[in-house]
Amino acid sequence: MESDLIDRIYECSVAPDLWPSVLDDLAAMTDSRGGLLFSARKALCWTASGSIREVFEAYVNDGWFHRCPRRTCIMSQSDPAFFVEQDFWSEDQIKGDPIYRDFFHPRGLGWSAGTGLQVPTGDSIVFSIERTLERGPIEPEHVATLNSLRPHLARSALVSARLGLQRAQGATEALSGLRLPALLLTEGGVVVEANEWMAPLAGEVRFGAGNRLVLSDKAAQQMLADALKTIDAAPGLGRCTFPLRDELGKATMVLHLIPIKRSAHDIFGQSFALLMMTPVSSERTPSLDLMRSLFDLTPAEARVAQGIAAGKTLEDLALAGDVSINTVRNQLRRVLEKTGCARQAELAALLSSVAVGAGL
């Protein structure tokens, strides 16, 4: 069931009209009424389960969206996770909040689990699962289920968001509509089609013999090869997001490998995967969300990585996390393995170049 759902999530990437059905399934899995996907860059785009679409048309059209505290609280969180009302407010605060008191509660809603993503491209994405008021808050085990699917939802929604939640009519239109460097690959890494945004990356990305994709970053090349092998064999286990580094070892792009599933083949033909690239900058310490997605880190490993990037010692991290120094050393060892770094100094240099305001 989960493997099929993951396939359908990726199908939605270029067929956003299928999101309501996936949102219905997420709601059913969590004993909720429906789900929503909001995307904003220069304009707000959204889609929802049919069961709650009318409610959220009023939510958007009557101005409630811009006054709602849920979105602000969700987007302020650095942890890449779904959050519920109890993470932010007491029961009395919820009852007294105008959005809940005057909008959600009269419509029989009032409990939710939501997650947000802000990425360097300027896209802001929010998923929300809505439950009826009488059913009560969404339980931790259901939140855990949503969190297990979150990386797939994030990667697929990024493509949908770049396309303005509009179904692409063909491969060329879809690649161009992303307005980011992107190309289509076969299972063996042969380039089927690339968009015009790839041209400035000629020094880092080239097409070799047989039109095979060749990355200047050997570590990224190996990660791509591994991802192409595991993306179907073990859904959810392969590393599908990773950095592309320059000759100095600094990350310049984040590569997202997105499997082409089901009816997405109607748009992309028999291509195996879409490889999309987003830029990174070096303004401040990388977010937990970005690091977890880049290197498939656990929350604890991501916090250790973030601490190393900020110049903290292992002793500092052990004290802050209320764990033993041996625990932190083990977490650091796993971070080094997952990032392909041999030494702590190399890790710090890599992470300092993957610093963006917020990540995917």
Side-chain angles (χ1 to χ4, degrees):
M1 168 63 182
E2 182 171 306
S3 178
D4 179 68
L5 177 59
I6 291 172
D7 283 355
R8 291 175 53 233
I9 287 172
Y10 284 118
E11 181 184 21
C12 292
S13 62
V14 290
D17 49 304
L18 300 178
W19 274 118
S21 177
V22 167
L23 293 168
D24 279 340
D25 284 354
L26 296 177
M29 292 170 66
T30 56
D31 197 15
S32 300
R33 183 171 164 186
L36 304 112
L37 165 58
F38 287 100
S39 164
R41 187 162 69 246
K42 294 182 179 179
L44 175 65
C45 301
W46 66 281
T47 187
S49 298
S51 58
I52 57 174
R53 183 170 187 86
E54 186 175 339
V55 171
F56 281 88
E57 283 179 348
Y59 178 73
V60 171
N61 295 337
D62 296 346
W64 295 96
F65 173 82
H66 295 290
R67 289 181 277 161
C68 186
R70 293 197 310 184
R71 176 174 50 91
T72 303
C73 289
I74 288 171
M75 298 303 286
S76 70
Q77 302 303 302
S78 59
D79 282 351
F82 277 81
F83 297 91
V84 296
E85 278 80 8
Q86 294 86 343
D87 291 321
F88 307 119
W89 309 294
S90 68
E91 187 173 340
D92 287 341
Q93 287 174 320
I94 294 171
K95 289 179 179 179
D97 187 280
I99 301 295
Y100 285 86
R101 183 191 64 219
D102 301 333
F103 183 81
F104 287 121
H105 291 174
R107 291 166 174 81
L109 296 173
W111 304 112
S112 66
T115 190
L117 305 101
Q118 289 179 318
V119 290
T121 58
D123 297 275
S124 296
I125 299 167
V126 172
F127 279 97
S128 181
I129 302 302
E130 306 291 329
R131 180 182 275 186
T132 59
L133 181 61
E134 64 179 6
R135 176 61 182 79
I138 296 179
E139 297 83 358
E141 59 268 28
H142 288 319
V143 175
T145 297
L146 294 172
N147 283 334
S148 71
L149 294 168
R150 187 181 184 275
H152 309 291
L153 294 168
R155 278 188 282 268
S156 182
L158 176 58
V159 178
S160 291
R162 297 300 299 177
L163 295 176
L165 295 186
Q166 298 297 311
R167 180 187 279 260
Q169 298 304 307
T172 301
E173 178 187 331
L175 291 176
S176 180
L178 292 173
R179 301 186 67 80
L180 290 171
L183 43 79
L184 297 172
L185 296 172
T186 68
E187 190 171 358
V190 174
V191 178
V192 177
E193 186 172 349
N195 67 10
E196 64 269 31
W197 304 91
M198 291 296 304
L201 301 180
E204 300 167 277
V205 183
R206 64 182 178 86
F207 306 149
N211 219 34
R212 190 174 301 277
L213 181 65
V214 179
L215 303 176
S216 61
D217 179 355
K218 302 303 182 185
Q221 184 76 48
Q222 186 59 56
M223 290 178 187
L224 174 61
D226 292 342
L228 286 169
K229 291 176 183 176
T230 60
I231 200 169
D232 263 353
L237 298 181
R239 181 183 302 168
C240 294
T241 305
F242 45 90
L244 179 69
R245 311 179 221 197
D246 63 17
E247 65 276 5
L248 300 178
K250 291 187 176 181
T252 59
M253 306 289 290
V254 179
L255 276 56
H256 310 280
L257 188 70
I258 299 160
I260 295 172
K261 296 294 185 180
R262 297 164 63 98
S263 67
H265 286 291
D266 295 341
I267 297 168
F268 289 142
Q270 292 309 303
S271 298
F272 182 72
L274 166 69
L275 184 66
M276 186 169 67
M277 308 180 187
T278 59
V280 299
S281 60
S282 54
E283 297 176 355
R284 50 182 175 269
T285 305
S287 71
L288 293 174
D289 203 356
L290 179 62
M291 288 189 294
R292 285 198 65 190
S293 295
L294 273 176
F295 306 113
D296 294 325
L297 304 180
T298 67
E301 292 165 357
R303 290 187 180 91
V304 167
Q306 188 182 50
I308 295 299
K312 295 182 179 179
T313 66
L314 298 188
E315 290 76 10
D316 292 335
L317 296 173
L319 183 62
D322 194 23
V323 296
S324 71
I325 189 70
N326 284 336
T327 296
V328 176
R329 286 196 183 102
N330 287 333
Q331 291 166 344
L332 175 61
R333 176 179 53 78
R334 292 193 293 271
V335 171
L336 291 172
E337 291 173 353
K338 291 181 178 182
T339 57
C341 294
R343 301 179 307 278
Q344 186 173 327
E346 183 183 353
L347 173 66
L350 171 63
L351 295 178
S352 68
S353 69
V354 188
V356 295
L360 177 66

